[in-house]
């Protein structure tokens, strides 16, 4: 629903002063733990009804018992009266116990399981060294309808970092999708036209999330006038042609693409250092950031599908009741957001966005 205070022409979204959509979900977040969890959970809970919570804690969330305990800690960190629902994920390892995983899914503790190739990113040292080790687990997931969420990069240091997603498709993902045709696979935070093409060419069981940063920046942003640690995440942003392919996919209306911010807070000192962490904290202005892209692409009427419909439809969960509204108002994004006695630099720090989340 797109409207001004008075009745408007529904086709003329570009002149609307506000945009009301079904309450959205975020299908990829890092909420962390401890003080950081206390500081950041509110931002995701403010904009989204549900979120897929990634399990790359230290140590990672491997068992159903650990998933339930983490969910309790998240609930305890939420503001009073908040109805946000964290959807928990299990971290797959070479030795994942298929029975515990299936039981966790049956009990409603786990919504999905995450495949991190070993050492691909933050806290992934326990990840999977060879997907062949997971074959029985993946077959079980296919059987019970449990989605597999994939960090799609090879970790081979011989492979150029900008090619690691494309090589992952070639070496691993295409085989997985072929051998397990009924397994629901979410190709997370895609960054290339290769990934868009793969998802489009695959059957209805393969979908992808797209982050705000990969819609806004290309790899030049990481080196604009100096090294820019706050533009560094994994997978790294790629060439402009890839960003444009992601924009076309996100705004296409295809149910295979949906919102997943990959909000990944790191305190400022962990980013601004000789070996800075990967991750962009985009939760505070996530919807504003996506709305800016959809408006630039003249596709505001497709934001609701991407943000609120395609995700739950793919996961087989109900769409949310209720709505949220974005107003066409300038919003100044702060340079720094206080968190756990320190600060985090948010995505778009110091910029002005043209939409304001009104709740
Ligand atoms: O940039 C990233 N940060 N990519 C990931 O895959 C993990 C995340 C994190 O947890 O910091
Ligand atoms: Zn992530």
């Amino acid at each position: 629903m797109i409207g001004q205070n008075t009745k408007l022409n529904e086709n003329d979204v570009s002149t609307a002063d506000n945009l009301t959509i079904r309450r959205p979900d975020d299908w990829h977040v890092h909420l962390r733990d401890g003080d950081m969890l206390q500081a950041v959970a509110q931002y995701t809970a403010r904009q989204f009804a549900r979120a897929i919570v990634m399990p790359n804690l230290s140590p990672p969330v491997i068992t159903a018992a650990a998933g339930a305990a983490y969910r309790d800690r998240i609930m305890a960190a939420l503001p009073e009266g908040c109805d946000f629902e964290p959807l928990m994920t299990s971290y797959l390892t070479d030795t994942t116990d298929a029975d515990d995983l299936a039981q966790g899914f049956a009990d409603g503790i786990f919504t999905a399981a995450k495949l991190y190739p070993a050492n691909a990113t933050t806290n992934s040292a326990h990840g999977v060294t060879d997907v062949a080790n997971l074959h029985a687990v993946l077959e079980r997931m296919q059987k019970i309808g449990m989605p597999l969420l994939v960090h799609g990069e090879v970790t081979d240091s011989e492979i150029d970092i900008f090619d690691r997603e494309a090589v992952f498709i070639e070496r691993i993902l295409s085989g997985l999708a072929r051998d397990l045709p009924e397994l629901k696979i979410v190709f997370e935070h895609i960054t290339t036209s290769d990934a868009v093409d793969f998802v489009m060419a695959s059957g209805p069981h393969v979908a992808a999330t797209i982050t705000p940063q990969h819609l806004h920046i290309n790899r030049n942003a990481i080196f604009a006038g100096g090294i820019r640690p706050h533009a560094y995440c994994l997978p790294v942003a790629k060439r402009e042609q890839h960003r444009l392919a992601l924009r076309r996919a996100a705004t296409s209306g295809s149910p295979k693409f949906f919102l997943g911010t990959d909000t990944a807070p790191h305190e400022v000192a962990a980013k601004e250092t000789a070996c800075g962490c990967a991750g962009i904290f985009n939760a505070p202005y996530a919807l504003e950031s996506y709305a800016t892209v959809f408006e630039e692409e003249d596709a505001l009427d497709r934001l609701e599908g991407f943000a609120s419909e395609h995700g739950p439809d793919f996961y087989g969960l109900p769409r949310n009741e209720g709505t949220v509204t974005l107003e066409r108002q300038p919003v100044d994004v702060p340079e720094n957001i206080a968190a756990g006695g320190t600060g985090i630099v948010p995505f778009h720090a110091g910029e002005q966005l043209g939409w304001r989340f009104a709740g």
Side-chain angles (χ1 to χ4, degrees), residues 39-40 42-43 281 336-344:
V40 302
Q42 57 177 310
Y43 296 107
F281 180 49
N336 195 290
I337 290 182
T342 161
I344 317 173

Side-chain angles (χ1 to χ4, degrees), residues 127-141:
V128 174
T129 58
D130 184 345
V131 282
N133 296 333
L134 271 187
H135 197 72
V137 169
L138 298 180
E139 283 202 317
R140 184 74 167 273
M141 288 174 64

Side-chain angles (χ1 to χ4, degrees), residues 71-154:
R71 183 169 64 185
D72 291 347
R73 297 198 297 281
I74 294 168
M75 296 309 287
L78 295 173
E80 197 70 25
C82 170
D83 66 352
F84 173 75
E85 186 186 357
L87 304 174
M88 308 309 293
T89 60
S90 167
Y91 181 113
L92 297 174
T93 72
D94 285 344
T95 57
T96 291
D97 178 346
D99 291 334
D100 181 76
L101 185 70
Q103 193 60 51
F105 183 63
D107 292 344
I109 296 167
F110 288 136
T111 297
K114 179 76 187 277
L115 168 60
Y116 287 101
N119 303 315
T121 187
T122 309
N123 292 337
S124 62
H126 301 270
V128 174
T129 58
D130 184 345
V131 282
N133 296 333
L134 271 187
H135 197 72
V137 169
L138 298 180
E139 283 202 317
R140 184 74 167 273
M141 288 174 64
Q142 173 173 250
K143 193 162 157 223
I144 63 178
M146 184 177 194
L148 175 72
L149 316 183
V150 179
H151 183 110
E153 289 188 286
V154 291

Side-chain angles (χ1 to χ4, degrees), residues 28-30 32 54 56-57 114 116 120-124 151 153 189 213-214 232-236 262-266 271 277-280:
H28 188 135
V29 304
H30 298 271
R32 312 300 193 207
M54 290 300 163
N56 61 330
L57 302 181
K114 179 76 187 277
Y116 287 101
T121 187
T122 309
N123 292 337
S124 62
H151 183 110
E153 289 188 286
H189 43 53
Q213 59 266 23
H214 294 115
Y232 172 56
C233 64
L234 286 171
V236 284
D262 197 18
T263 181
H266 292 278
K271 296 282 295 175
C277 293
I280 293 181

